Short mmCIF file of all heavy atoms in Angstrom, two decimals:
data_model
loop_
_atom_site.label_atom_id
_atom_site.label_comp_id
_atom_site.label_asym_id
_atom_site.label_seq_id
_atom_site.Cartn_x
_atom_site.Cartn_y
_atom_site.Cartn_z
N ALA A 39 109.47 88.31 103.50
CA ALA A 39 108.35 87.46 103.92
C ALA A 39 107.43 88.21 104.87
O ALA A 39 106.21 88.12 104.76
CB ALA A 39 108.88 86.19 104.59
N LEU A 40 107.99 88.95 105.81
CA LEU A 40 107.17 89.69 106.76
C LEU A 40 106.32 90.77 106.09
O LEU A 40 105.27 91.14 106.59
CB LEU A 40 108.04 90.30 107.85
CG LEU A 40 108.57 89.30 108.86
CD1 LEU A 40 109.57 89.97 109.80
CD2 LEU A 40 107.46 88.65 109.64
N GLN A 41 106.75 91.26 104.96
CA GLN A 41 105.96 92.24 104.22
C GLN A 41 104.80 91.57 103.50
O GLN A 41 103.80 92.21 103.21
CB GLN A 41 106.84 93.00 103.24
CG GLN A 41 107.82 93.92 103.93
CD GLN A 41 108.82 94.52 102.96
OE1 GLN A 41 108.85 94.19 101.78
NE2 GLN A 41 109.67 95.39 103.47
N VAL A 42 104.90 90.28 103.23
CA VAL A 42 103.85 89.55 102.53
C VAL A 42 102.74 89.12 103.50
O VAL A 42 101.56 89.24 103.19
CB VAL A 42 104.42 88.31 101.82
CG1 VAL A 42 103.32 87.44 101.24
CG2 VAL A 42 105.39 88.74 100.72
N TYR A 43 103.11 88.64 104.67
CA TYR A 43 102.13 88.08 105.61
C TYR A 43 100.96 89.00 105.92
O TYR A 43 99.81 88.58 105.81
CB TYR A 43 102.79 87.67 106.93
CG TYR A 43 103.84 86.59 106.82
CD1 TYR A 43 104.89 86.54 107.71
CD2 TYR A 43 103.78 85.61 105.84
CE1 TYR A 43 105.85 85.57 107.63
CE2 TYR A 43 104.75 84.63 105.75
CZ TYR A 43 105.78 84.62 106.65
OH TYR A 43 106.74 83.64 106.58
N PRO A 44 101.18 90.23 106.35
CA PRO A 44 100.05 91.05 106.80
C PRO A 44 99.28 91.72 105.68
O PRO A 44 98.26 92.36 105.95
CB PRO A 44 100.71 92.09 107.70
CG PRO A 44 102.06 92.26 107.12
CD PRO A 44 102.45 90.90 106.63
N GLY A 45 99.72 91.60 104.46
CA GLY A 45 99.00 92.26 103.37
C GLY A 45 99.27 93.76 103.35
O GLY A 45 100.30 94.21 103.82
N PRO A 46 98.31 94.54 102.85
CA PRO A 46 98.56 95.96 102.64
C PRO A 46 98.52 96.81 103.91
O PRO A 46 98.74 98.00 103.86
CB PRO A 46 97.41 96.36 101.71
CG PRO A 46 96.31 95.42 102.06
CD PRO A 46 97.01 94.12 102.39
N HIS A 47 98.27 96.20 105.06
CA HIS A 47 98.11 96.99 106.29
C HIS A 47 99.33 96.98 107.18
O HIS A 47 99.24 97.33 108.35
CB HIS A 47 96.92 96.45 107.08
CG HIS A 47 95.65 96.42 106.30
ND1 HIS A 47 94.98 97.55 105.93
CD2 HIS A 47 94.95 95.39 105.78
CE1 HIS A 47 93.91 97.22 105.23
NE2 HIS A 47 93.87 95.91 105.13
N ALA A 48 100.47 96.58 106.66
CA ALA A 48 101.69 96.43 107.48
C ALA A 48 101.36 95.53 108.66
O ALA A 48 100.70 94.53 108.50
CB ALA A 48 102.22 97.79 107.91
N MET A 49 101.81 95.88 109.84
CA MET A 49 101.55 95.03 111.00
C MET A 49 100.38 95.55 111.83
O MET A 49 100.24 95.25 113.00
CB MET A 49 102.81 94.92 111.87
CG MET A 49 103.96 94.21 111.16
SD MET A 49 103.55 92.55 110.57
CE MET A 49 103.70 91.62 112.07
N ALA A 50 99.53 96.35 111.23
CA ALA A 50 98.36 96.90 111.94
C ALA A 50 97.11 96.64 111.11
O ALA A 50 96.43 97.56 110.69
CB ALA A 50 98.56 98.39 112.17
N ASP A 51 96.80 95.39 110.87
CA ASP A 51 95.68 95.01 110.03
C ASP A 51 94.36 95.21 110.78
O ASP A 51 94.07 94.49 111.72
CB ASP A 51 95.83 93.55 109.60
CG ASP A 51 94.77 93.11 108.62
OD1 ASP A 51 93.76 93.82 108.46
OD2 ASP A 51 94.95 92.04 108.03
N PRO A 52 93.54 96.18 110.38
CA PRO A 52 92.29 96.44 111.07
C PRO A 52 91.25 95.33 110.89
O PRO A 52 90.25 95.30 111.61
CB PRO A 52 91.80 97.75 110.45
CG PRO A 52 92.44 97.79 109.11
CD PRO A 52 93.76 97.09 109.25
N THR A 53 91.47 94.41 109.98
CA THR A 53 90.52 93.31 109.76
C THR A 53 90.90 92.03 110.49
O THR A 53 90.18 91.04 110.42
CB THR A 53 90.39 93.00 108.26
OG1 THR A 53 91.62 92.45 107.79
CG2 THR A 53 90.03 94.24 107.45
N LEU A 54 92.01 92.06 111.21
CA LEU A 54 92.52 90.83 111.83
C LEU A 54 91.53 90.21 112.80
O LEU A 54 91.24 89.02 112.72
CB LEU A 54 93.85 91.09 112.54
CG LEU A 54 94.46 89.87 113.24
CD1 LEU A 54 94.73 88.74 112.24
CD2 LEU A 54 95.72 90.26 113.97
N THR A 55 90.99 90.97 113.74
CA THR A 55 90.10 90.36 114.74
C THR A 55 88.85 89.79 114.09
O THR A 55 88.34 88.76 114.52
CB THR A 55 89.73 91.33 115.87
OG1 THR A 55 89.19 92.52 115.31
CG2 THR A 55 90.94 91.67 116.72
N ASP A 56 88.35 90.44 113.03
CA ASP A 56 87.19 89.88 112.32
C ASP A 56 87.52 88.53 111.71
O ASP A 56 86.72 87.60 111.75
CB ASP A 56 86.71 90.84 111.23
CG ASP A 56 86.12 92.12 111.78
OD1 ASP A 56 85.68 92.11 112.95
OD2 ASP A 56 86.11 93.12 111.06
N ARG A 57 88.71 88.41 111.13
CA ARG A 57 89.11 87.15 110.52
C ARG A 57 89.39 86.09 111.58
O ARG A 57 89.08 84.92 111.40
CB ARG A 57 90.32 87.35 109.62
CG ARG A 57 89.95 88.14 108.36
CD ARG A 57 91.09 88.31 107.38
NE ARG A 57 92.07 89.25 107.90
CZ ARG A 57 93.36 88.96 108.14
NH1 ARG A 57 93.83 87.77 107.85
NH2 ARG A 57 94.18 89.86 108.61
N LEU A 58 89.96 86.49 112.72
CA LEU A 58 90.22 85.53 113.79
C LEU A 58 88.92 84.94 114.32
O LEU A 58 88.87 83.78 114.72
CB LEU A 58 90.99 86.20 114.93
CG LEU A 58 92.44 86.59 114.63
CD1 LEU A 58 93.03 87.36 115.81
CD2 LEU A 58 93.28 85.39 114.29
N ALA A 59 87.86 85.73 114.32
CA ALA A 59 86.57 85.26 114.83
C ALA A 59 86.03 84.08 114.01
O ALA A 59 85.20 83.32 114.49
CB ALA A 59 85.56 86.40 114.81
N GLY A 60 86.54 83.89 112.79
CA GLY A 60 86.10 82.80 111.94
C GLY A 60 86.81 81.49 112.18
O GLY A 60 86.50 80.48 111.56
N ILE A 61 87.77 81.47 113.10
CA ILE A 61 88.50 80.23 113.39
C ILE A 61 87.61 79.32 114.22
O ILE A 61 87.10 79.71 115.26
CB ILE A 61 89.82 80.52 114.13
CG1 ILE A 61 90.75 81.33 113.22
CG2 ILE A 61 90.48 79.22 114.59
CD1 ILE A 61 92.03 81.78 113.90
N ALA A 62 87.42 78.09 113.76
CA ALA A 62 86.49 77.18 114.43
C ALA A 62 87.16 76.10 115.28
O ALA A 62 86.63 75.75 116.33
CB ALA A 62 85.58 76.53 113.39
N PRO A 63 88.29 75.52 114.86
CA PRO A 63 88.84 74.42 115.65
C PRO A 63 89.33 74.91 117.02
O PRO A 63 89.59 76.09 117.19
CB PRO A 63 90.03 73.93 114.83
CG PRO A 63 90.03 74.67 113.56
CD PRO A 63 89.05 75.78 113.67
N PRO A 64 89.49 73.99 117.98
CA PRO A 64 90.09 74.40 119.25
C PRO A 64 91.44 75.07 118.99
O PRO A 64 92.22 74.59 118.17
CB PRO A 64 90.27 73.08 120.00
CG PRO A 64 89.26 72.16 119.38
CD PRO A 64 89.17 72.59 117.94
N THR A 65 91.67 76.18 119.66
CA THR A 65 92.86 76.99 119.35
C THR A 65 93.61 77.37 120.61
O THR A 65 93.02 77.80 121.60
CB THR A 65 92.43 78.28 118.62
OG1 THR A 65 91.69 77.92 117.45
CG2 THR A 65 93.63 79.12 118.23
N LEU A 66 94.92 77.21 120.58
CA LEU A 66 95.80 77.67 121.64
C LEU A 66 96.63 78.80 121.06
O LEU A 66 97.34 78.62 120.07
CB LEU A 66 96.72 76.55 122.12
CG LEU A 66 97.82 76.96 123.10
CD1 LEU A 66 97.20 77.46 124.42
CD2 LEU A 66 98.77 75.80 123.35
N VAL A 67 96.53 79.97 121.66
CA VAL A 67 97.35 81.11 121.26
C VAL A 67 98.50 81.18 122.24
O VAL A 67 98.33 81.56 123.40
CB VAL A 67 96.54 82.43 121.25
CG1 VAL A 67 97.44 83.60 120.91
CG2 VAL A 67 95.38 82.33 120.27
N ALA A 68 99.69 80.77 121.81
CA ALA A 68 100.89 80.83 122.64
C ALA A 68 101.61 82.12 122.28
O ALA A 68 101.89 82.37 121.11
CB ALA A 68 101.77 79.62 122.36
N TRP A 69 101.87 82.95 123.29
CA TRP A 69 102.44 84.29 123.04
C TRP A 69 103.68 84.49 123.89
O TRP A 69 103.78 84.00 125.00
CB TRP A 69 101.40 85.35 123.38
CG TRP A 69 101.63 86.62 122.65
CD1 TRP A 69 102.35 87.71 123.09
CD2 TRP A 69 101.18 86.95 121.35
NE1 TRP A 69 102.36 88.69 122.15
CE2 TRP A 69 101.64 88.24 121.06
CE3 TRP A 69 100.43 86.27 120.40
CZ2 TRP A 69 101.37 88.87 119.85
CZ3 TRP A 69 100.16 86.90 119.20
CH2 TRP A 69 100.63 88.19 118.94
N ARG A 70 104.60 85.24 123.37
CA ARG A 70 105.85 85.54 124.05
C ARG A 70 105.61 86.52 125.20
O ARG A 70 105.22 87.66 124.99
CB ARG A 70 106.84 86.13 123.06
CG ARG A 70 107.13 85.14 121.96
CD ARG A 70 107.06 85.63 120.53
NE ARG A 70 106.37 86.84 120.20
CZ ARG A 70 105.29 86.89 119.43
NH1 ARG A 70 104.75 85.79 118.96
NH2 ARG A 70 104.73 88.03 119.11
N ALA A 71 105.86 86.10 126.43
CA ALA A 71 105.57 86.91 127.61
C ALA A 71 106.46 88.14 127.72
O ALA A 71 106.07 89.14 128.31
CB ALA A 71 105.68 86.07 128.87
N SER A 72 107.66 88.08 127.17
CA SER A 72 108.59 89.20 127.28
C SER A 72 108.88 89.85 125.93
O SER A 72 109.96 90.39 125.72
CB SER A 72 109.91 88.71 127.91
OG SER A 72 109.66 88.16 129.18
N ASP A 73 107.93 89.80 125.03
CA ASP A 73 108.10 90.37 123.69
C ASP A 73 108.14 91.89 123.80
O ASP A 73 107.21 92.51 124.30
CB ASP A 73 106.94 89.94 122.79
CG ASP A 73 107.20 90.23 121.33
OD1 ASP A 73 107.88 91.23 121.02
OD2 ASP A 73 106.72 89.45 120.49
N GLU A 74 109.22 92.50 123.34
CA GLU A 74 109.36 93.95 123.38
C GLU A 74 108.94 94.59 122.06
O GLU A 74 109.00 95.80 121.91
CB GLU A 74 110.79 94.33 123.73
CG GLU A 74 111.18 93.89 125.13
CD GLU A 74 112.61 94.19 125.48
OE1 GLU A 74 113.33 94.82 124.66
OE2 GLU A 74 113.05 93.80 126.58
N VAL A 75 108.51 93.77 121.09
CA VAL A 75 108.07 94.29 119.80
C VAL A 75 106.55 94.28 119.71
O VAL A 75 105.93 95.27 119.33
CB VAL A 75 108.69 93.48 118.63
CG1 VAL A 75 108.19 93.98 117.29
CG2 VAL A 75 110.22 93.55 118.70
N VAL A 76 105.95 93.15 120.06
CA VAL A 76 104.49 93.01 120.02
C VAL A 76 104.02 92.66 121.43
O VAL A 76 104.27 91.55 121.92
CB VAL A 76 104.05 91.93 119.01
CG1 VAL A 76 102.54 91.87 118.93
CG2 VAL A 76 104.64 92.21 117.63
N ASP A 77 103.38 93.60 122.08
CA ASP A 77 102.96 93.49 123.47
C ASP A 77 102.09 92.27 123.74
O ASP A 77 101.29 91.86 122.89
CB ASP A 77 102.19 94.77 123.82
CG ASP A 77 101.93 94.88 125.28
OD1 ASP A 77 100.89 94.35 125.73
OD2 ASP A 77 102.75 95.50 125.98
N ILE A 78 102.22 91.71 124.93
CA ILE A 78 101.44 90.53 125.31
C ILE A 78 99.94 90.83 125.30
O ILE A 78 99.12 89.94 125.05
CB ILE A 78 101.89 89.97 126.68
CG1 ILE A 78 101.31 88.57 126.90
CG2 ILE A 78 101.56 90.93 127.81
CD1 ILE A 78 101.93 87.82 128.06
N ASP A 79 99.55 92.07 125.55
CA ASP A 79 98.13 92.42 125.50
C ASP A 79 97.55 92.24 124.10
O ASP A 79 96.38 91.93 123.94
CB ASP A 79 97.90 93.85 125.99
CG ASP A 79 98.12 93.98 127.49
OD1 ASP A 79 97.98 92.97 128.20
OD2 ASP A 79 98.43 95.10 127.94
#
């Protein structure tokens, strides 16, 4: 499943921020503060 989600770019999709900019509804991004795999930044 994890190989399907990000498409052909693995977990480094260079188009992600462009696509995120298209989100219109109010959005809460809840992130894991102590994630050692994907940094909080």
Side-chain angles (χ1 to χ4, degrees):
L40 287 173
Q41 291 172 356
V42 173
Y43 298 150
H47 304 290
M49 295 304 280
D51 185 346
T53 67
L54 179 60
T55 54
D56 292 337
R57 290 183 289 120
L58 291 175
I61 296 175
T65 304
L66 172 65
V67 176
W69 204 266
R70 298 132 341 244
S72 301
D73 193 327
E74 295 177 4
V75 177
V76 184
D77 190 272
I78 194 167
D79 289 336

